[in-house]
């Protein structure tokens, strides 16, 4: 099938290529009747604008790169959906890559995005968090970047984050109000700001209720890590009465191990997770979890990035903090 060009339209109407171009670009120096005839004829001929030529003229690729650490948790796909809604409406295409929790893969993803001449990046960091200096170099070169969820405070870029401290406080307080005084926190990776904030919220709730600080155990965000910690607690005979996990997957992994060893949830041990995964409502018993506004996170990150692109690097980094809610379910309710 022949690709209809602007020259074909001009030849059909016996007008100049520049006249057709002015009609397509809605210039003032062309008669309304002529413009309408050109647009009507072009549509009948099946003309479509050349996207590559348009990008060259605008000196933009109209591509945005989104890099996330994993797709196992529904959190990141939901954020991407929110970002896409904003970006597609503004004529941008979205390139998506995942880092599989590897800093090396993360940087290869960044390089691939740059090779594809993306106009900007939206990034959530891996747990390894080893590419900070490289991101600083990119930011210094005026590459528009917005970080979300997993961020590092000293990066001079805009960020979209959740109020992890506040909602970790409420999640822990929920358990304390249920009468639990021996609560273990399955903490996230220490080098992530969100992990530090959730751990601090955990401690603050204990201080408010004048209960000795609970134990914090370093744990990743995966089910495997949650299962590993649960097994260690059982083997060491150090099982608490409640667990507040920094992620739903780690909470669910731990729950499975305790159930397999004959523990009743929540009678013997209560659970609260974080991030409101799709599994939270469907496991037995359903998991109490902190819900984050994933769609808003994605939309906000996209809007911040577009503002930075429009300002051509002249911007003041912003940190947007979003709110959530605690969805209380059977896993944490005192029987």
């Amino acid at each position: 099938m022949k690709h209809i060009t602007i020259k074909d339209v001009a030849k059909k109407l016996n007008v100049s290529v520049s006249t057709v171009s002015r009609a397509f670009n809605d210039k003032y120096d062309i008669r309304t009747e002529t413009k309408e005839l050109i647009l009507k004829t072009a549509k009948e001929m099946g003309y479509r604008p050349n996207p590559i030529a348009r990008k060259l003229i605008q000196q933009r690729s109209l591509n945005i790169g989104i890099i996330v650490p994993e797709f196992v948790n529904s959190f990141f796909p939901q954020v991407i959906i929110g970002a896409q809604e904003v970006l597609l409406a503004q004529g941008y295409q979205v390139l998506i890559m995942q880092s599989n929790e590897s800093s090396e893969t993360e940087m290869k993803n960044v390089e691939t995005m740059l090779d594809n001449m993306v106009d900007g990046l939206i990034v959530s960091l891996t747990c390894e968090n080893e590419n900070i200096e490289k991101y600083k170099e990119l930011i210094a070169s005026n590459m528009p970047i917005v970080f979300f969820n997993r961020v590092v405070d000293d990066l001079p870029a805009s960020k979209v984050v959740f109020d992890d401290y506040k909602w970790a406080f409420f999640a822990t307080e929920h358990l304390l109000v249920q009468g639990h005084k021996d609560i273990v926190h399955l903490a996230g990776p220490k080098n992530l700001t969100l992990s530090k904030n959730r751990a601090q919220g955990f401690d603050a709730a204990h201080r408010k209720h004048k209960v000795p600080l609970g134990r914090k155990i370093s744990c990743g965000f995966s089910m495997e890590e949650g299962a590993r910690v649960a097994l260690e607690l059982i083997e060491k005979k150090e099982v608490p009465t409640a667990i507040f996990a920094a992620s739903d997957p780690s909470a669910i992994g731990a729950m499975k191990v305790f159930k397999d060893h004959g523990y009743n949830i929540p009678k013997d041990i209560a659970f609260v997770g974080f991030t409101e995964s799709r599994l939270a409502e469907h496991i037995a018993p359903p998991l109490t979890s902190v819900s984050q506004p994933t769609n808003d996170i994605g939309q906000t990150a996209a809007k911040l990035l577009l503002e930075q692109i429009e300002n051509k690097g002249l911007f003041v980094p912003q940190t947007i903090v979003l709110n959530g809610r605690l969805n209380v379910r059977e896993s944490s309710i005192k029987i």
Side-chain angles (χ1 to χ4, degrees):
M1 182 177 176
K2 183 179 184 297
H3 180 72
I4 303 299
T5 69
I6 192 172
K7 292 181 180 179
D8 296 322
V9 178
K11 184 177 180 181
K12 173 81 171 178
L13 294 171
N14 195 28
V15 297
S16 68
V17 170
S18 61
T19 299
V20 177
S21 177
R22 288 199 298 275
F24 288 154
N25 290 289
D26 198 23
K27 297 295 185 180
Y28 69 91
D29 55 346
I30 182 172
R31 293 173 58 193
T32 301
E33 296 83 356
T34 304
K35 181 178 73 173
E36 290 176 351
L37 177 61
I38 290 171
L39 295 178
K40 179 175 179 291
T41 303
K43 184 177 181 181
E44 291 171 350
M45 293 176 68
Y47 170 79
R48 294 185 65 190
N50 186 329
I52 296 175
R54 178 177 290 179
K55 290 174 182 179
L56 288 173
I57 292 171
Q58 295 178 339
Q59 295 186 319
R60 291 182 181 179
S61 69
L62 295 177
N63 290 331
I64 298 296
I66 300 180
I67 301 174
V68 297
E70 47 94 351
F71 286 139
V72 176
N73 192 334
S74 61
F75 173 85
F76 291 108
Q78 289 169 2
V79 172
I80 290 170
I81 290 170
Q84 279 191 139
E85 289 175 2
V86 172
L87 296 170
L88 294 178
Q90 296 301 315
Y92 285 85
Q93 299 178 63
V94 180
L95 308 180
I96 302 165
M97 301 187 78
Q98 68 100 13
S99 305
N100 199 29
E101 294 292 10
S102 163
S103 287
E104 181 181 358
T105 302
E106 179 183 73
M107 194 43 56
K108 287 180 179 178
N109 290 344
V110 170
E111 291 167 357
T112 298
M113 295 292 191
L114 296 178
D115 289 343
N116 280 275
M117 300 177 66
V118 295
D119 294 329
L121 292 170
I122 297 174
V123 180
S124 187
L125 300 169
T126 67
C127 287
E128 292 181 357
N129 205 10
E130 295 174 357
N131 296 319
I132 304 308
E133 293 306 315
K134 294 178 181 178
Y135 281 121
K136 287 181 179 178
E137 291 174 9
L138 280 175
I139 294 166
S141 69
N142 290 326
M143 181 66 188
I145 305 179
V146 173
F147 295 91
F148 75 93
N149 184 244
R150 301 188 189 180
V151 305
V152 172
D153 289 337
D154 63 351
L155 278 173
S158 290
K159 308 173 183 73
V160 181
V161 296
F162 182 67
D163 198 337
D164 294 287
Y165 173 91
K166 173 181 174 179
W167 289 97
F169 176 95
F170 287 150
T172 306
E173 184 173 58
H174 166 68
L175 291 171
L176 291 167
V177 170
Q178 300 291 312
H180 296 285
K181 298 187 184 304
D182 181 11
I183 307 172
V184 163
H185 177 45
L186 302 189
K190 293 180 179 179
N191 52 358
L192 293 179
T193 301
L194 64 83
S195 299
K196 297 172 185 175
N197 290 340
R198 291 174 192 178
Q200 289 171 1
F202 175 75
D203 287 346
H206 281 79
R207 293 192 186 97
K208 175 186 173 183
H209 290 267
K210 298 180 172 53
V211 174
L213 296 185
R215 289 171 284 164
K216 291 188 284 290
I217 300 176
S218 182
C219 180
F221 291 132
S222 68
M223 290 187 188
E224 291 77 14
E225 282 291 287
R228 174 188 62 79
V229 173
L231 193 58
E232 289 178 1
L233 290 170
I234 292 170
E235 290 174 347
K236 293 178 180 179
K237 294 182 170 51
E238 296 177 351
V239 176
T241 66
I243 285 180
F244 165 48
S247 76
D248 275 11
S250 59
I252 292 168
M255 285 174 67
K256 184 179 185 306
V257 169
F258 280 109
K259 286 168 64 178
D260 289 346
H261 282 76
Y263 287 82
N264 178 281
I265 301 171
K267 183 179 178 181
D268 299 324
I269 181 169
F271 276 88
V272 173
F274 211 105
T275 305
E276 185 64 15
S277 66
R278 290 179 179 174
L279 285 176
E281 288 188 273
H282 301 292
I283 58 172
L287 176 65
T288 293
S289 183
V290 173
S291 173
Q292 301 182 71
T294 49
N295 194 269
D296 287 349
I297 291 172
Q299 290 193 356
T300 303
K303 289 174 183 176
L304 285 175
L305 187 67
L306 292 178
E307 286 177 13
Q308 188 174 345
I309 291 170
E310 292 299 323
N311 292 333
K312 298 179 179 179
L314 301 174
F315 80 108
V316 176
Q318 301 179 60
T319 297
I320 307 297
V321 182
L322 299 179
N323 223 328
R325 59 176 293 173
L326 178 66
N327 294 323
V328 178
R329 302 189 180 97
E330 293 174 28
S331 70
S332 64
I333 298 174
K334 190 82 169 179
I335 297 177

